[in-house]
Amino acid sequence: MTNSIGEIEDNDVLFIIGSNATEAHPIIGNKMKKAVQKGSKLIVIDPRKTELATMAKYHLRLKSGTDAALVNGLMHIIIEENWQDEDYINERCTGYESLKENVAKYTPEVVEEITGIGKDQLYKAAKLYANTKKAGIFYTLGITEHTTGTDNVMNLANLGMLTGHIGFENAGINPLRGQNNVQGACDMGALPNYFPGYKACDNKDNIEIFEKHWGVKLSDHLGLRIPEMLDGIVDGDVKAMYVMGEDPVLTDPDANHVRKAMSSLDLLIVQNIFLTETAKLAHVVLPATIYAEKDGTFTNTERRVQRVRKAVEPPKGVMLDWVMVAEIAKRLGYKGFDYTSAEDIFEEIRKTMSTYAGITYERIEKDGLQWGCPTLDSPGSKYLHSGEFTRGKGLMLPIEYLPPAELVDDEYPVLMNTGRILYHYNVSTRISETLDAISPVERVEIHPEDAKKYDLNKDSIVRVTSRRGSVTANIKITKRVQPGTIYMTFHFHESPVNELTNSAYDPVTKTAEYKVTAVKIAKEA
Amino acid sequence: MVSITLNGQKMEVSADKSILEISRENGIDVPTLCYNEKLKAFSGCRMCVVEIAGRKNLAASCSTKPLEGMVIQTHSDKVMKSRRDILDLLISNHPKDLFTQVKVGNNKFQEYAKEYEVLEGSYEGEKKNYEIDSANAAYYRDPNKCILCGQCVSVCDQIQISHTIDFLGKGFNTKVGTAFDLPISTDNCRLCGQCVSVCPTGSLIHKQLANIEPEKIKKVRTTCPFCGTGCNFDLNVVDDKVVGVTPIEDATVNGASLCVKGRYHSDMISSKQRLTTPLIKKDGVFVEATYDEAFDYIATKITEIKDKYGADSITGLSSARCTNEDNFIFQKLFRAGFGTNNVDHCART
Ligand code: SF4
Ligand code: SF4
Ligand code: SF4
Ligand code: FES
């Protein structure tokens, strides 16, 4: 997030696109609801009638996967009506002319054709967002889990810059991170293209800096992203994989493809708390510790670095995750892995990343600190890009609408969206007996009209089949989804939705197309 | 600012604060059953009464602002008697187990009864006879123990913003319940447990924390391992086992709020399904091994593969669930150890 969670309640407008915050980020969702109570207006852009959508001033219920066209349509109107912030654009941005040229094509008529949203609604939403100073954009999975995910994110930045809404309190562009430490994992360089602190790892100067830090020669080319790793296994270039704390067979799209690839490795090491679907395929399984057994830090979606503390001993004999990694390094004779504690590692993190340099365990003993925190007396950064963008001038990039990679047809006539529900978090919360008892089964959301069409009642079991696989599940008949669409979660291994999803990837981030899958449905029982 | 005399002491105070707030700021412990600083004043219990010179009736301090020259007594005989009467009345209507009620978190009703030495109700009170709602997996609702302080209704309304519960019925038959008085379930409630945290009685109790003695608990402050909001809470530990979660009033991100996952996940920590020994696959089946054996196996294999196919044939998936420290050392192993940038983490969302 460029801004802070604490600012939400005082926003005048919340522009929420593809984010079902009250389910995926409940406490942030509560703050959004509170904001409405205090008088702020919501613009919700979502195919589903989410809880927030029911409270919205404008709910633009667009067709799945058409976000880019919609956002271009909003910018078209804003420029047409001269609501853009000229001073801001001149002072802080580049690329305005080409953006303008691009969105000129997205007339309300064109946009209605693609998105299903009429001119009147589009106009009202554009007017409200553009002309409110304290207006923030919030997005989640909905917008990044598309083949055009990166485009969508850049387009929101375009919208924010066009209207001069980035770099102030109660405004900005705010991704709500799905997993607890996505922000931290990215910050730490658990990415094939970046060293810690987003330093490109094919850049000579950066390589030199990190070679100095670590005292070894480093690779000079980018690494593989997950889908490329999987393809690499199939092609025979990738022979070994070490998986820490994840279960890609269950959570990555197109499970059958992932399982097949993983099974043909020469060495698969899986470090996990449980014997997951992925672990079952491993050559070596290392038992791991859960967060309550370790010291360390997580970085939340507003960049706040907060302490994780050991509360209980791990099961007898189980090693800490970092200790295992260090042990493996030492067996192989690698230098620089003689850490004595998690804090010891954090001290190295501080030294390698200027944004974290001012953060110490001592300083975050009680409250966390938000990075951009370069010095020990820095209070951290409540919001980013004040005055100027971190990378100099903000670049406005024209984005074209591309139809989703998979479209419905006669054989697969129903559009399936996937996402989260309140009661679970990915797959792990099922292990909690309490949470599993609260929400024990998948319930596919289906519109009453479709229920009628397929002869389903509330106790029916439905079979959902895509071009890649087939699963069964219970149903929930609700108007939250539109006719011709269904909604499933990925929490239940009994109904593994990722057998169905598409592994077509966003070309830049390689985030998969979880959101839009063409399926057919039939009554099973 | 106005000047007042509070328990004999002259002071200048803000005219915008309640007498309750002023008293507490000055270290005077005025009891409250319905007041919650995060919620709009409900002013229903009258435990917080104080005596103001020249006024016939006692005033509820939580909803009374100081005026110039006020002389206020927070613990005068008249005040103490009034508080004892209130407790007496409530206890008379309460099930007999008030003093044995074990509760982690807010148990103020019992504490006040002890402090004010009202050890039994003197009225031949009519007892309520409602069914206990225990149909959900998260918490019990025992309307018989409810003193109608309204905090659960307000917190659901003003902080959770879900309007799941409200006052039902009238007079002696007033109770707190859901629409149509249905049991709590995922159909009508978000199971965030915020109502349970604020309840000062045994009416609302987390199932996980029921019957756990508060004195035995060690609290450890940490950060939620689920979504990116990053709520803080206390893990409640008894004998090296996490038994439940309680909120921290002053947590920066979430205050005293939590969602169902943060609140109720903690039984997974001691799950029987946890792995406890390394496993090495031999002829298609897993065989238990020591860490030593596992690391040796890994080191040998990695060396072979690296020699034969080069560093770029090795790949790693780190985790957005793990700590920064784990992620940092993991990518360092790949970059500085194996010599490849082939490190990524699942689902960049
Ligand atoms: S658990 Fe949460 S949503 Fe349910 S009644 Fe209590 S406060 Fe309301
Ligand atoms: S259930 Fe508890 S919080 Fe709610 S009104 Fe009764 S005593 Fe108060
Ligand atoms: S308590 Fe709920 S909202 Fe808060 S971090 Fe955990 S999962 Fe997210
Ligand atoms: S605390 Fe003041 S009336 Fe209840």
Side-chain angles (χ1 to χ4, degrees):
Chain A
M1 285 170 81
T2 63
N3 293 65
S4 298
I5 296 168
E7 293 168 33
I8 292 173
E9 280 182 27
D10 296 315
N11 273 32
D12 292 332
V13 164
L14 302 171
F15 181 102
I16 302 165
I17 179 163
S19 169
N20 188 7
T22 58
E23 305 251 343
H25 302 88
I27 296 302
I28 292 179
N30 288 353
K31 292 191 194 268
M32 291 175 167
K33 293 196 276 182
K34 185 85 194 173
V36 177
Q37 271 193 348
K38 285 168 111 174
S40 58
K41 301 189 179 79
L42 303 188
I43 301 169
V44 173
I45 297 171
D46 202 306
R48 288 171 77 225
K49 197 174 200 160
T50 57
E51 188 184 1
L52 289 171
T54 62
M55 307 175 85
K57 173 104 179 156
Y58 305 119
H59 175 202
L60 311 191
R61 211 170 177 184
L62 80 177
K63 290 185 198 149
S64 270
T66 62
D67 313 68
L70 188 122
V71 174
N72 280 344
L74 292 171
M75 290 193 283
H76 178 98
I77 293 171
I78 288 167
I79 294 173
E80 196 90 320
E81 295 292 333
N82 218 9
W83 291 329
Q84 74 276 23
D85 187 337
E86 290 283 348
D87 292 347
Y88 185 94
I89 297 168
N90 290 336
E91 218 169 282
R92 299 183 53 168
C93 311
T94 61
Y96 177 52
E97 285 310 318
S98 50
L99 179 81
K100 190 169 164 182
E101 199 178 304
N102 183 53
V103 302
K105 297 182 300 219
Y106 290 83
T107 61
E109 293 72 32
V110 171
V111 173
E112 175 160 14
E113 177 67 31
I114 301 172
T115 64
I117 301 298
K119 176 173 181 172
D120 180 53
Q121 262 207 316
L122 203 63
Y123 182 88
K124 283 181 182 152
K127 183 172 182 184
L128 179 61
Y129 174 73
N131 297 302
T132 309
K133 217 170 153 35
K134 291 183 175 182
I137 296 175
F138 298 83
Y139 65 92
T140 328
L141 301 159
I143 193 137
T144 49
E145 276 184 1
H146 278 293
T147 34
T148 51
T150 330
D151 282 1
N152 281 333
V153 172
M154 284 194 279
N155 222 16
L156 293 175
N158 288 337
L159 178 63
M161 287 188 274
L162 181 69
T163 49
H165 280 153
I166 308 174
F168 307 98
E169 244 183 293
N170 306 110
I173 307 280
N174 301 293
L176 304 178
R177 303 292 195 163
Q179 288 168 289
N180 61 318
N181 201 30
V182 184
Q183 182 72 53
C186 294
D187 295 349
M188 294 306 122
L191 291 169
N193 49 341
Y194 288 123
F195 289 123
Y198 305 94
K199 300 280 185 245
C201 55
D202 56 353
N203 170 299
K204 261 212 167 74
D205 299 338
N206 295 339
I207 294 174
E208 223 169 82
I209 293 171
F210 278 87
E211 285 184 339
K212 237 202 219 130
H213 275 312
W214 291 333
V216 288
K217 200 99 205 91
L218 296 173
S219 163
D220 61 356
H221 54 275
L222 300 184
L224 304 175
R225 299 158 198 274
I226 297 177
E228 292 162 344
M229 292 177 186
L230 295 172
D231 292 346
I233 302 172
V234 177
D235 297 344
D237 300 333
V238 170
K239 298 292 180 189
M241 185 178 273
Y242 182 175
V243 183
M244 175 175 79
E246 284 292 348
D247 189 10
V249 171
L250 208 60
T251 55
D252 274 39
D254 203 350
N256 291 325
H257 172 68
V258 178
R259 187 175 291 125
K260 221 164 110 195
M262 294 264 188
S263 319
S264 57
L265 282 161
D266 288 0
L267 176 65
L268 176 61
I269 308 162
V270 173
Q271 180 166 316
N272 208 305
I273 310 162
F274 302 109
L275 194 65
T276 58
E277 293 299 310
T278 310
K280 287 178 190 159
L281 307 176
H283 299 92
V284 198
V285 180
L286 300 170
T289 42
I290 201 164
Y291 83 104
E293 294 153 3
K294 35 172 115 164
D295 284 309
T297 52
F298 288 149
T299 306
N300 79 350
T301 193
E302 54 167 3
R303 297 166 282 104
R304 188 180 300 279
V305 184
Q306 306 192 99
R307 274 301 310 276
V308 175
R309 282 189 192 79
K310 177 175 171 176
V312 289
E313 289 297 327
K316 199 162 169 287
V318 174
M319 279 187 187
L320 291 169
D321 290 80
W322 71 260
V323 174
M324 288 189 264
V325 177
E327 276 303 316
I328 292 170
K330 284 187 228 165
R331 299 268 159 145
L332 286 159
Y334 304 145
K335 297 272 174 304
F337 287 86
D338 303 308
Y339 301 104
T340 54
S341 63
E343 185 170 8
D344 203 17
I345 301 175
F346 193 84
E347 284 300 306
E348 183 173 324
I349 294 172
R350 287 182 56 212
K351 288 192 190 93
T352 43
M353 289 166 59
S354 61
T355 46
Y356 276 65
I359 304 173
T360 63
Y361 273 25
E362 199 188 328
R363 287 193 72 196
I364 57 172
E365 176 59 29
K366 187 160 165 286
D367 297 316
L369 281 166
Q370 285 170 286
W371 67 249
C373 184
T375 55
L376 282 171
D377 52 13
S378 157
S381 297
K382 205 172 153 197
Y383 57 95
L384 297 178
H385 312 305
S386 152
E388 66 172 39
F389 291 100
T390 325
R391 294 184 180 99
K393 286 238 174 191
L395 178 59
M396 297 171 130
L397 268 179
I399 302 294
E400 290 286 5
Y401 162 72
L402 294 171
E406 188 163 282
L407 297 169
V408 291
D409 58 17
D410 288 344
E411 204 191 341
Y412 298 98
V414 177
L415 204 66
M416 179 185 77
N417 283 306
T418 60
R420 294 166 200 279
I421 53 167
L422 171 67
Y423 305 100
H424 286 297
Y425 171 81
N426 285 7
V427 288
S428 58
T429 48
R430 294 286 309 287
I431 305 289
S432 158
E433 285 173 18
T434 306
L435 293 176
D436 196 40
I438 288 173
S439 169
V441 292
E442 174 72 59
R443 288 170 85 193
V444 179
E445 290 185 5
I446 181 162
H447 192 273
E449 275 176 32
D450 290 331
K452 218 166 135 198
K453 188 161 150 196
Y454 293 96
D455 185 31
L456 301 164
N457 62 41
K458 68 177 188 358
D459 300 317
S460 300
I461 306 276
V462 68
R463 175 165 290 281
V464 183
T465 308
S466 79
R467 293 185 176 90
R468 284 155 296 277
S470 183
V471 304
T472 57
N474 295 54
I475 66 166
K476 177 173 186 163
I477 300 172
T478 167
K479 288 193 178 148
R480 274 165 51 134
V481 290
Q482 287 171 310
T485 65
I486 61 169
Y487 182 80
M488 277 184 88
T489 74
F490 41 80
H491 305 304
F492 300 89
H493 59 80
E494 299 87 346
S495 306
V497 71
N498 291 326
E499 306 259 335
L500 306 177
T501 41
N502 188 346
S503 62
Y505 285 91
D506 180 306
V508 180
T509 65
K510 302 281 174 183
T511 307
E513 180 111 288
Y514 285 103
K515 277 283 154 179
V516 189
T517 308
V519 297
K520 59 181 172 194
I521 54 181
K523 186 172 179 165
E524 176 87 359
Chain B
M1 297 295 268
V2 291
S3 49
I4 60 167
T5 309
L6 184 61
N7 290 353
Q9 212 178 342
K10 275 201 178 348
M11 53 180 77
E12 293 280 312
V13 298
S14 154
D16 296 327
K17 289 188 175 160
S18 66
I19 294 175
L20 175 68
E21 287 171 281
I22 293 162
S23 304
R24 288 192 171 168
E25 276 166 21
N26 283 285
I28 300 167
D29 183 21
V30 175
T32 55
L33 281 170
C34 73
Y35 172 81
N36 183 321
E37 60 180 15
K38 297 195 173 79
L39 303 171
K40 287 185 203 136
F42 177 76
S43 308
C45 73
R46 294 195 58 85
M47 259 314 270
C48 66
V49 288
V50 293
E51 186 170 356
I52 298 172
R55 291 202 188 176
K56 201 167 131 252
N57 295 329
L58 298 178
S61 64
C62 67
S63 55
T64 308
K65 304 248 159 86
L67 296 174
E68 183 59 38
M70 262 188 188
V71 177
I72 302 160
Q73 290 288 343
T74 62
H75 286 74
S76 67
D77 291 347
K78 195 173 164 192
V79 166
M80 297 301 275
K81 173 161 186 322
S82 169
R83 286 181 193 151
R84 274 194 288 269
D85 284 346
I86 290 164
L87 290 167
D88 188 346
L89 212 65
L90 290 171
I91 292 168
S92 297
N93 288 329
H94 195 275
K96 288 258 172 288
D97 64 353
L98 173 62
F99 293 96
T100 51
Q101 175 73 59
V102 180
K103 188 178 179 195
V104 177
N106 193 345
N107 202 11
K108 265 185 169 179
F109 181 43
Q110 183 194 74
E111 284 160 23
Y112 289 147
K114 287 184 186 159
E115 186 185 330
Y116 283 80
E117 296 177 330
V118 186
L119 300 180
E120 61 188 343
S122 60
Y123 299 89
E124 198 43 60
E126 198 182 331
K127 304 274 190 219
K128 298 169 194 165
N129 193 11
Y130 296 113
E131 233 171 88
I132 297 175
D133 173 10
S134 76
N136 73 81
Y139 61 90
Y140 300 105
R141 265 173 77 241
D142 181 352
N144 302 306
K145 295 184 179 171
C146 173
I147 58 168
L148 301 174
C149 74
Q151 290 196 64
C152 55
V153 176
S154 301
V155 84
C156 189
D157 210 44
Q158 296 165 33
I159 305 230
Q160 172 50 41
I161 316 192
S162 283
H163 326 295
T164 298
I165 41 177
D166 207 341
F167 291 103
L168 311 174
K170 283 206 183 95
F172 181 75
N173 293 319
T174 309
K175 66 182 260 194
V176 171
T178 63
F180 308 109
D181 208 10
L182 293 169
I184 290 285
S185 76
T186 51
D187 290 335
N188 55 23
C189 166
R190 314 259 306 171
L191 296 171
C192 69
Q194 306 205 57
C195 49
V196 184
S197 302
V198 296
C199 177
T201 71
S203 181
L204 298 175
I205 301 241
H206 295 300
K207 289 188 172 177
Q208 288 177 347
L209 291 166
N211 302 320
I212 288 186
E213 286 172 50
E215 306 76 50
K216 293 205 173 134
I217 289 175
K218 182 182 88 177
K219 288 188 191 289
V220 181
R221 185 179 181 135
T222 194
T223 303
C224 180
F226 300 115
C227 83
T229 308
C231 296
N232 279 192
F233 50 66
D234 278 333
L235 286 172
N236 287 221
V237 181
V238 175
D239 296 335
D240 201 37
K241 185 175 171 197
V242 179
V243 292
V245 166
T246 49
I248 305 166
E249 287 297 325
D250 63 347
T252 326
V253 175
N254 55 308
S257 298
L258 289 171
C259 82
V260 59
K261 292 179 286 270
R263 180 93 56 179
Y264 295 113
H265 73 284
S266 68
D267 53 1
M268 70 188 275
I269 295 166
S270 50
S271 164
K272 294 267 178 308
Q273 297 177 46
R274 292 276 304 268
L275 285 166
T276 52
T277 40
L279 304 169
I280 298 177
K281 207 176 258 166
K282 288 186 181 141
D283 303 321
V285 287
F286 282 124
V287 180
E288 291 194 357
T290 62
Y291 271 111
D292 237 356
E293 288 163 347
F295 292 146
D296 274 343
Y297 179 94
I298 292 167
T300 313
K301 278 284 206 175
I302 289 275
T303 311
E304 267 173 41
I305 291 170
K306 195 175 160 184
D307 286 350
K308 199 156 161 205
Y309 303 102
D312 284 336
S313 67
I314 306 170
T315 57
L317 295 186
S318 195
S319 171
R321 310 289 317 278
C322 288
T323 61
N324 289 329
E325 292 74 3
D326 291 342
N327 274 291
F328 183 86
I329 192 172
F330 191 82
Q331 62 85 37
K332 185 174 172 185
L333 172 69
F334 277 76
R335 296 203 157 99
F338 302 149
T340 176
N341 285 312
N342 286 341
V343 57
D344 201 349
H345 64 273
C346 287
R348 262 167 274 204
T349 47

